[in-house]
Amino acid sequence: MMRISFGARLLGACLMVLLATAALAAEFDAVKTRLTADGIPAAQVKAAFSRPDVRFSVDPMGKKLLEMYTSKFGSDVVRELQKRFTELGYFSGPANGRPDYLFRSGVRAFQREHGLPVDGRYSLDMLTLAVQEQAKAPRQVQDDLKALAASGPPQMYEAIITPERLGEAKEFYLANKAVLDEVRQRYGVPPEATVGLLTVETRAGKFLGDNLALNNLASMAASSKASTVMSVFAGEKVTPERMAWLDSKAAEKAAWAYNELKALFTYGERNKLDIAAMPGSIYGAIGVSQFMPTSLLRFGMDGDGDGVVDIFNVRDAVNSMGNYLRAHGFTGNLDDEATLRESLFRYNHSETYVNTIMAVAHYLKGGQALP
């Protein structure tokens, strides 16, 4: 039997890494070439992509495709975790492979009991740990999870309706009363609702994203084939038919991301801002009020009159948000909460999202944090 030396194995591994890096660089090069062909100045494209922090990531497209795949087919990793969590007392729902609120509550409970970061995120490593675990969940944990199952899904994002987050909202509300009143006068949006939205989106400006918007949008635009990001599908039994479906979705999302990326460059050039220094959400939303670049080009406002629409500036951000909500149906009638809720729903199509914003607003008005 032929033996391969450690040095040879190491060299092979290094070559594979170099080839993978080169392939990813080629994908980025195609995006840069397309941007230039579509009229973005070559010097602007080169300057942005030459920054050392600008690099490809599988996370944005990988996360989006895995979410879509799990929603349609169910996740094999989740399904096996649900079965094992049922045996250990961390789950009492159906093993359907879909990570609903009850499953994620079980994940958080499992993480707490095992000294892991409590973020509700599942993984193949967690499944391995759960299979090895022999001790069942403590009785109190099991009772709490069963009570949660009986009460049904929460109406609000529980991570937002906490003393810490509500305190951040109150602090922002008091510190920015003048600009909030300005937005109310211009667009009719109640200050409490404005702060509620900002609290949900960015913790009132305290968290603007943990990666560059340019990285995330360019990485998605470069990932028009699902094979680029299949590392995130570890543990999933992806059939050829499902792979074809994933490829079609990757192409759709890559086209969407490219359009947003092009808008990001236009936004930066129009306002003389450095887009390669802008943090963003995993899907490229930016600023205190988390606008996608195409929406920012349409609804962004220069709130402080300096000739620049800077979505990272509080005055510009809240004026832009007020303009967006007014353009999407809010009448300015402070007693018309139903129309305000409809406008907020257009900002993010989620009733839980809207309920949480309104709960923060009610709290800031002196009431309880309830929708």
Side-chain angles (χ1 to χ4, degrees), residues 64-216:
K64 174 53 69 175
L65 289 183
L66 186 58
E67 284 178 352
M68 297 173 72
Y69 179 93
T70 299
S71 177
K72 184 172 179 65
F73 302 111
S75 161
D76 294 306
V77 173
V78 171
R79 190 175 291 111
E80 292 306 312
L81 265 171
Q82 288 170 331
K83 292 176 182 176
R84 185 57 182 152
F85 277 3
T86 298
E87 296 169 348
L88 295 175
Y90 288 98
F91 184 67
S92 58
N96 57 15
R98 291 177 170 78
D100 60 9
Y101 80 100
L102 194 57
F103 170 72
R104 291 193 182 277
S105 296
V107 168
R108 285 190 288 270
F110 185 83
Q111 289 170 329
R112 277 192 294 270
E113 293 301 317
H114 291 79
L116 302 172
V118 183
D119 55 17
R121 297 176 183 175
Y122 62 90
S123 67
L124 188 58
D125 287 341
M126 178 177 288
L127 175 58
T128 301
L129 178 59
V131 170
Q132 295 172 347
E133 180 61 85
Q134 297 301 314
K136 291 194 172 185
R139 175 54 56 188
Q140 186 60 55
V141 170
Q142 295 190 46
D143 291 344
D144 290 344
L145 289 171
K146 287 177 181 177
L148 181 62
S151 64
Q155 292 182 293
M156 301 174 290
Y157 300 139
E158 295 181 341
I160 299 296
I161 309 302
T162 64
E164 181 183 0
R165 296 292 179 265
L166 293 174
E168 291 172 349
K170 188 68 170 288
E171 179 184 358
F172 183 93
Y173 179 76
L174 295 174
N176 294 279
K177 201 71 168 63
V179 67
L180 294 169
D181 287 339
E182 174 186 298
V183 169
R184 177 177 59 188
Q185 292 167 13
R186 287 184 179 177
Y187 306 105
V189 183
E192 297 82 5
T194 299
V195 178
L197 190 152
L198 296 179
T199 300
V200 173
E201 289 286 353
T202 63
R203 291 176 51 196
K206 290 184 180 294
F207 180 75
L208 301 176
D210 52 14
N211 199 352
L212 297 176
L214 175 61
N215 279 350
N216 290 338

Side-chain angles (χ1 to χ4, degrees), residues 252-271:
E252 289 176 12
K253 293 303 176 183
W256 169 85
Y258 176 77
N259 192 43
E260 293 294 343
L261 177 64
K262 188 166 63 170
L264 180 66
F265 272 93
T266 300
Y267 167 68
E269 177 63 20
R270 187 176 294 177
N271 294 281

Side-chain angles (χ1 to χ4, degrees), residues 58 62 65 225-234 236 238 243 246:
V58 301
L65 289 183
K225 290 284 189 180
S227 56
T228 309
V229 299
M230 287 307 291
S231 59
V232 306
F233 281 78
E236 303 295 340
V238 182
M243 189 66 189
L246 281 171

